[in-house]
Amino acid sequence: MQNYVLRLDQAGMDDVEKVGGKNASLGEMISQLSEAGVKVPGGFATTAEAFREFLEHGGLKEKIDTTLSQLDVDDVNALAETGKMVRQWIMDAEFQPALDQSIETAFAEMTGGNEQLAVAVRSSATAEDLPDASFAGQQETFLNIRGLSNVKQAIKEVFASLYNDRAISYRVHHNFEHSEVALSAGVQRMVRSETGSSGVMFTMDTESGFNHVVFITAAYGLGETVVQGAVNPDEFYVYKPTLKQGVPAILRRTLGSKAIKMVYAGEGSTASAVETVNVDAKDRQRFCINDEDVQELANIALIIEQHYGRPMDIEWAKDGDDGQLYIVQARPETVRSRESGNVIERYLLKETGNVLVEGRSIGHRIGSGPVRLVSDLSQMDQVKPGDVLVTDMTDPDWEPVMKRAAAIVTNRGGRTCHAAIIARELGIPAIVGCGDATERLQDGQLVTVSCAEGDTGRAYDGQLEFEHQTNSVESMPNLPFDVMMNVGNPDRAFDFQALPNAGVGLARLEFIINRMIGIHPKALLNLNDQPADVRQVIERRIGGYDSPVDFYVEKLVEGISTLAAAFYPKKVIVRMSDFKSNEYGHLIGGDQYEPGEENPMLGFRGAARYISDDFRDCFELECRALKKVRDEMRLTNVEVMVPFVRTVGEAKQVVEMLSDNGLKRGENGLRIIMMCEIPSNALLADEFLQYFDGFSIGSNDLTQLTLGLDRDSGIIAHLFDERNEAVKKLLAMAIKACRDQGKYIGICGQGPSDHPDLAKWLMEQGISSVSLNPDSVLDTWFFLANDVQ
């Protein structure tokens, strides 16, 4: 029996050649990680030797090898016909008697006489899940199989799946000989996630390669819907360093639509006895796992990653009956972990256009071409090189044509589905989970698919111009000051941290409010007072959170903590909200709380807003979020910046309010910085600095207010220049005052990003740091380095 079947607990990573990568990994975790708290359902696996003898026993080996050696895998129709024929040969063949008996014995031992025990029958190829080959989803999985005869039939189906069209094509394109790859069938006890939830997690960010987070996806029911990309799952990011300290470490939560789930059907048969049903509307509006589950999953992921010594791709399931979390697969991550961190690759759109559809971006590239709408596999031959493949849901069956596409757009799917993995491996930009892409995009229509703008991927009308840059960052020259970055969008934080930098000189809280919340804080504080239609919109948006106020605070926490974790331990200076009244008014429910001002730029904003009775309770929510990030999540690299402080009296009041709300200057290393953006700030710098630990110069407003012009007015826009002598005189005063008092002095305005010569002048004045837009960091750095040399 040992030659044909192994119990999973008898297998380990030294047995890849015996039972394939997947089953070897399951055995490794059962034998090595059970005591560490990693729960893996038991079972058995047929061996590669059993598979090879099965082919020899039926006289199939030579027949298959000869047939496949004559096949052109790029001929989609020939591939389909040949694959179908080979699979039928296998299904018609009989198991050799020794294998047949070994399966019966192992199944009886596994079930303890309970023949109706539900099992999963999974494939495990001897060349799959190696660090340099993904093989994601190449062979089949059969779920809820019951009874010995059905298990045998499913094993034969698994054997046949080694010759799926996608698997044949993949091996050819990755230079694996067909005859060198054997298949093991793993028979494993089912986890009752049909009444619970399941998903996939990676021990790194799949898009940026940032390796200090665990990325978790989750949906209701059996995990195949997430793996296949049939559902838009919930998503979570967990920060590894603080997770190890046992503190709250969840950085981001994104509520997925989770419209369907896969559950058991019938009593099990030769095929997977499962069906897909709709998820109740109420359940869609909440996360399918709680924060404790998320943290426990992340801890399990860390144990597995540490054991294997490399980034991992892990499938998990939560049993709805016993409430336990189980691991059902673990394999090396094979795409981002292979990339060099010394080269920064950037794709930049050079123009904008009409957005046709949006979804989750896969990768960070841009592609363009004519739309090719494909509804099923029979139409695959219509996809020509350079087309944008648009379909309801791509899965690994589509791999033979995916490599032809300039980009891929789907209605359904999440960022950990097999299609996303294959798209990353092929280096193709993909947007998944768009919802209605097949309805909104027309066949033959020219589009540009951009995944270069963060978590949200966009398909634009027309063929837009874009730029592809690569920069080596191995030997960045030294500068006499720090180069920091202006980063408002938490979606891009993991990407931007890879650029050379000394931290974040400006993180705009209003960007987080606008992008991640979209609702006026007053409307959330007073939800019951909102009109019925507004309340309905708000309640839909705050799904998954305990209360309207919790939603506001937690979304702020998520945005701030993501930025802080991405750049830790470097400083991240978070500016309190600096919306003007018209901008606050555009938020949901905002029109009833904001005054109508002729010139909002000079009106109810900054410190004056914080200390007013009308806004004080909203300001306190911002403070609560910052305090949680610093004190509970221990991301003490976060510093606070106060914008638009008109008078020294306002400065005193704001600092006292911050202290009253748990953000006391100097406590737990907290620095409080003031935006220097009004001429009075530079003229009375010594007085303002009594209350702050330094200045960050906002050159945009400082220039506007010094020259008395509206920078939004096209008529006088040509007069707007931060290099004006009057502006530079104020800049010099502010820099000198901070240097004299030994305090921080940086600049976060647009000026140094637009004008490298201004950055050079600031360097000569002795500024501590220049905070640049990410897209100008490398160019400005090299420009300044040339002058230093």
Side-chain angles (χ1 to χ4, degrees), residues 402-415:
M402 286 169 73
K403 62 174 63 67
R404 299 180 189 171
I408 298 167
V409 182
T410 70
N411 292 339
R412 294 190 284 164
R415 290 202 346 232

Side-chain angles (χ1 to χ4, degrees), residues 47-348:
T47 64
E49 182 181 349
F51 174 77
R52 290 191 175 101
E53 285 193 17
F54 165 72
L55 293 185
E56 294 279 8
H57 176 76
L60 294 179
K61 182 182 184 306
E62 189 174 342
K63 196 173 169 184
I64 292 171
D65 289 347
T66 301
T67 302
L68 294 182
S69 67
Q70 298 167 356
L71 174 65
D72 176 6
V73 296
D74 292 323
D75 182 337
V76 176
N77 293 325
L79 175 62
E81 289 174 16
T82 304
K84 182 179 179 182
M85 180 173 66
V86 171
R87 292 192 295 274
Q88 193 59 53
W89 291 344
I90 292 173
M91 295 308 299
D92 292 341
E94 297 292 331
F95 286 137
Q96 63 270 43
L99 173 58
D100 196 66
Q101 182 58 53
S102 295
I103 292 170
E104 289 188 14
T105 304
F107 187 68
E109 180 183 331
M110 174 186 178
T111 60
N114 176 18
E115 267 229 6
Q116 291 308 302
L117 178 74
V119 299
V121 183
R122 304 179 189 274
S123 63
S124 179
T126 55
E128 75 178 340
D129 297 341
L130 303 179
D132 58 349
S134 165
F135 278 76
Q138 292 296 310
Q139 285 80 48
E140 300 294 346
T141 294
F142 300 93
L143 304 176
N144 190 26
I145 306 300
R146 301 168 194 253
L148 178 61
S149 63
N150 291 333
V151 167
K152 287 182 180 179
Q153 185 72 1
I155 290 173
K156 202 177 285 185
E157 295 268 11
V158 164
F159 284 1
S161 74
L162 186 64
Y163 301 101
N164 279 340
D165 301 352
R166 61 184 183 250
I168 295 170
S169 172
Y170 190 94
R171 287 195 294 273
V172 170
H173 287 116
H174 289 79
N175 298 314
F176 284 92
E177 290 291 336
H178 297 295
S179 59
E180 290 179 5
V181 181
L183 206 65
S184 163
V187 180
Q188 190 180 25
R189 179 179 66 80
M190 285 283 291
V191 176
R192 290 299 300 268
S193 59
E194 62 143 355
T195 56
S197 50
S198 55
V200 179
M201 56 185 175
F202 287 82
T203 60
M204 65 191 305
D205 177 39
T206 54
E207 304 312 310
S208 66
F210 183 61
N211 64 1
H212 292 302
V213 289
V214 178
F215 175 52
I216 300 170
T217 60
Y220 294 111
L222 304 176
E224 289 303 291
T225 55
V226 178
V227 172
Q228 293 169 354
V231 69
N232 297 336
D234 296 334
E235 295 181 355
F236 308 89
Y237 281 103
V238 185
Y239 188 48
K240 292 180 188 176
T242 49
L243 178 70
K244 294 172 184 175
Q245 298 171 24
V247 300
I250 300 174
L251 301 177
R252 297 282 295 279
R253 303 170 185 83
T254 302
L255 189 69
S257 55
K258 306 182 298 294
I260 57 171
K261 65 178 177 179
M262 188 178 283
V263 297
Y264 289 177
E267 292 302 313
S269 62
T270 53
S272 291
V274 294
E275 62 181 342
T276 300
V277 299
N278 291 329
V279 173
D280 290 341
K282 186 177 178 183
D283 287 335
R284 295 183 199 180
Q285 279 296 104
R286 64 183 180 85
F287 292 107
C288 64
I289 52 176
N290 59 33
D291 284 2
E292 289 74 21
D293 290 333
V294 174
Q295 296 233 148
E296 184 179 345
L297 281 169
N299 273 312
I300 292 169
L302 286 189
I303 293 168
I304 295 172
E305 180 182 49
Q306 184 174 0
H307 179 75
Y308 285 90
R310 57 168 44 96
M312 297 295 289
D313 167 359
I314 302 162
E315 292 180 31
W316 62 271
K318 181 176 182 179
D319 194 306
D321 293 353
D322 65 19
Q324 298 294 309
L325 294 166
Y326 294 88
I327 300 303
V328 294
Q329 280 187 41
R331 52 183 166 258
E333 195 280 339
T334 59
V335 181
R336 294 298 318 202
S337 55
R338 287 189 307 203
E339 295 182 359
S340 167
N342 295 325
V343 176
I344 301 294
E345 182 181 60
R346 294 187 295 166
Y347 282 77
L348 303 170

Side-chain angles (χ1 to χ4, degrees), residues 474-718:
E474 277 187 299
S475 55
M476 296 298 290
N478 291 324
L479 295 174
F481 59 67
D482 289 334
V483 174
M484 303 179 81
M485 282 192 284
N486 300 331
V487 182
N489 183 357
D491 289 353
R492 300 299 309 277
F494 298 151
D495 283 318
F496 290 152
Q497 62 79 32
L499 290 166
N501 70 85
V504 176
L506 172 62
R508 300 177 177 90
L509 214 55
E510 64 271 12
F511 198 106
I512 296 170
I513 295 168
N514 193 49
R515 189 177 184 87
M516 298 176 65
I517 298 172
I519 306 166
H520 197 289
K522 280 286 189 184
L524 291 166
L525 284 162
N526 303 285
L527 182 60
N528 293 334
D529 298 337
Q530 304 309 306
D533 58 335
V534 174
R535 182 170 176 172
Q536 187 177 25
V537 171
I538 292 175
E539 286 177 341
R540 192 159 53 239
R541 195 172 274 222
I542 66 175
Y545 293 83
D546 292 339
S547 72
V549 169
D550 282 336
F551 167 76
Y552 189 82
V553 173
E554 286 305 313
K555 282 297 178 191
L556 287 177
V557 167
E558 290 172 23
I560 297 165
S561 66
T562 298
L563 291 165
F567 289 88
Y568 193 88
K570 302 168 187 173
K571 299 296 185 186
V572 174
I573 302 174
V574 177
R575 188 177 72 185
M576 310 295 282
S577 65
D578 193 26
F579 276 138
K580 289 81 178 174
S581 54
N582 60 324
E583 293 167 333
Y584 261 122
H586 289 148
L587 298 174
I588 296 169
D591 52 356
Q592 61 181 308
Y593 296 108
E594 292 299 323
E597 296 185 284
E598 288 294 325
N599 192 343
M601 184 72 73
L602 299 179
F604 192 42
R605 62 178 289 201
R609 180 180 277 268
Y610 307 154
I611 63 179
S612 72
D613 291 337
D614 289 340
F615 195 79
R616 186 182 296 257
D617 51 355
C618 303
F619 179 73
E620 288 171 353
L621 298 183
E622 296 180 23
C623 294
R624 192 196 303 182
L626 281 159
K627 180 175 169 56
K628 178 174 179 177
V629 172
R630 284 183 50 83
D631 294 354
E632 293 181 38
M633 300 181 75
R634 299 186 187 173
L635 294 167
T636 52
N637 58 324
V638 168
E639 301 188 336
V640 175
M641 183 150 68
V642 181
F644 224 76
V645 185
R646 291 179 170 94
T647 68
V648 176
E650 282 183 350
K652 182 174 185 292
Q653 284 181 265
V654 169
V655 171
E656 288 173 352
M657 277 182 63
L658 286 167
S659 179
D660 291 343
N661 283 280
L663 295 170
K664 186 175 182 180
R665 184 179 162 205
E667 199 168 88
N668 204 11
L670 176 62
R671 288 199 311 182
I672 299 178
I673 310 297
M674 189 187 93
M675 284 284 285
C676 177
E677 54 191 333
I678 304 170
S680 63
N681 299 153
L683 294 167
L684 297 177
D686 289 335
E687 287 82 351
F688 280 106
L689 285 170
Q690 292 177 49
Y691 300 100
F692 296 98
D693 296 293
F695 286 164
S696 183
I697 297 166
S699 57
N700 296 3
D701 276 352
L702 185 62
T703 302
Q704 176 176 238
L705 296 171
T706 301
L707 300 180
L709 54 82
D710 180 356
R711 60 187 163 103
D712 294 330
S713 169
I715 302 169
I716 54 173
H718 63 285

